[in-house]
């Protein structure tokens, strides 16, 4: 059974005090992850995970399959770069949970599957709230409990220069203190119905305030701004995403209006 979950780009976030959840402003993108879940062969109850056909350790996916208690194989096809701020681990985990639920006729509700994926991401240290965005699609502002969702049709361009280890960033207490302070201020300043351009513009001010952009990221943002667009840095990855331009950055996608789904 196959399921798809969109990637997601977090523009601004602020971790909760207990570290379990975050609030933020994120957008689902049309490129994501496809999970093909089938019964595992010859490995007992151990889950098997492959990426592009190669066996790999993928902790959040393995944790989700373990919680669902199924002897499953998950073959993942990623349409977005992994480890570059596109929520690939969350997309893979959510798509796997949805596909496994259908493949093994488990009877979980959509909300329960989202929670399974979220818990797996938190335990693995690979994300704090991506799956809530990938479940809904569109532009999502708020937290996992009561987010505000907005439909958007905006094209998005992006360039990715390298990974930033999400686990290391989330474990950096000084960085997370700055992120909590600056992220909360940025989110509180957003209007009730923000344009994606406004979100991206405020996101760049946030990224600079927490001192995450690298030289390559700054140069790419400057190129976008010189062309009349707005750009910022994906949280957390050395990736620049932009709106309001065409042909400035090498990759082009769009806001995904829908959430994860069976295929």
């Amino acid at each position: 059974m196959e399921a798809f979950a969109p990637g997601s780009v977090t523009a601004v976030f602020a971790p909760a005090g207990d570290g379990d959840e975050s609030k933020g402003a994120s957008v689902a993108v049309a490129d994501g992850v496809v999970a093909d879940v089938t019964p595992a062969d010859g490995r007992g109850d151990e889950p098997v995970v492959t990426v592009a056909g190669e066996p790999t350790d993928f902790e959040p996916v393995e944790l989700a399959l373990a919680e669902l208690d199924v002897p499953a194989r998950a073959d993942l096809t990623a349409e977005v770069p992994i480890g570059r701020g596109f929520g690939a681990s969350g997309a893979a985990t959510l798509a796997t949970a949805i596909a496994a639920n259908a493949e093994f006729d488990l009877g979980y509700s959509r909300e329960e599957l989202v929670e399974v994926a979220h818990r797996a991401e938190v335990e693995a240290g690979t994300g704090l709230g991506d799956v809530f965005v990938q479940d809904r699609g569109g532009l999502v502002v708020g937290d996992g409990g009561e987010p505000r969702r907005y439909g958007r049709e905006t094209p998005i361009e992006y360039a990715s220069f390298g990974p930033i280890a999400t686990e290391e960033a989330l474990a950096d207490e000084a960085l997370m203190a700055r992120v909590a302070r600056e992220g909360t201020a940025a989110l509180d300043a957003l209007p009730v119905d923000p344009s994606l351009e406004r979100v991206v513009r405020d996101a760049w001010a946030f990224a600079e305030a927490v001192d995450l952009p690298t030289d390559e990221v700054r140069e790419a943002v400057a190129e976008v701004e010189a062309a009349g667009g707005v750009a910022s840095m994906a949280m957390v990855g050395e990736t620049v995403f932009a709106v309001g331009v065409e042909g400035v950055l090498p990759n082009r996608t769009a806001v995904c209006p829908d959430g994860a789904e069976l295929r």
Side-chain angles (χ1 to χ4, degrees), residues 34 36 48-58 73-77:
V34 175
D36 184 7
V48 178
V49 182
T50 71
V51 176
E54 295 295 324
T56 186
D57 294 327
F58 208 125
R73 175 188 178 100
D75 295 304
L76 307 176
T77 303

Side-chain angles (χ1 to χ4, degrees), residues 22-247:
S22 67
K23 57 184 177 180
S26 304
V27 61
V29 296
D31 301 335
V33 177
V34 175
D36 184 7
V37 175
T38 55
D41 292 326
R43 291 282 298 272
D45 292 333
E46 265 186 71
V48 178
V49 182
T50 71
V51 176
E54 295 295 324
T56 186
D57 294 327
F58 208 125
E59 187 178 4
V61 172
E62 294 164 4
L63 288 169
L65 289 173
E67 182 169 346
L68 294 174
D69 194 23
V70 288
R73 175 188 178 100
D75 295 304
L76 307 176
T77 303
E79 302 166 345
V80 291
I82 295 175
R84 305 288 179 95
F86 282 95
S89 63
T93 307
L94 180 58
T96 296
I98 291 171
N101 185 60
E103 176 68 24
F104 294 94
D105 196 21
L106 300 177
Y108 284 95
S109 69
R110 176 70 170 229
E111 291 74 18
E112 289 170 329
L113 294 171
V114 172
E115 284 298 329
V116 166
H118 173 58
R119 286 192 295 270
E121 274 255 274
V122 171
E123 185 175 342
T126 51
L128 292 177
D130 292 330
V131 297
F132 297 117
V133 180
Q134 294 157 348
D135 172 48
R136 293 172 173 85
L139 170 65
V140 178
V141 180
D143 59 33
E146 297 180 358
R148 305 190 306 276
R149 181 196 178 281
Y150 307 98
R152 296 288 184 262
E153 301 294 333
T154 315
I156 296 171
E157 291 196 348
Y158 67 91
S160 187
F161 305 108
I164 293 177
T166 303
E167 300 95 324
E168 293 180 13
L170 296 180
D172 186 330
E173 293 184 4
L175 173 61
M176 286 301 102
R178 294 198 306 274
V179 167
R181 181 180 64 251
E182 300 294 341
T184 297
L187 291 166
D188 288 347
L190 287 175
V192 173
D193 187 9
S195 67
L196 189 52
E197 289 81 358
R198 168 64 186 270
V199 171
V200 175
R201 184 177 293 110
D202 287 8
W204 182 236
F206 161 75
E208 290 193 299
V210 299
D211 196 27
L212 274 176
T214 62
D215 289 343
E216 283 184 302
V217 166
R218 292 182 184 279
E219 289 172 8
V221 170
E223 287 180 16
V224 170
E225 291 177 343
V230 292
S232 189
M233 175 184 181
M235 299 291 151
V236 181
E238 198 178 0
T239 291
V240 172
F241 65 102
V243 296
V245 291
E246 184 171 355

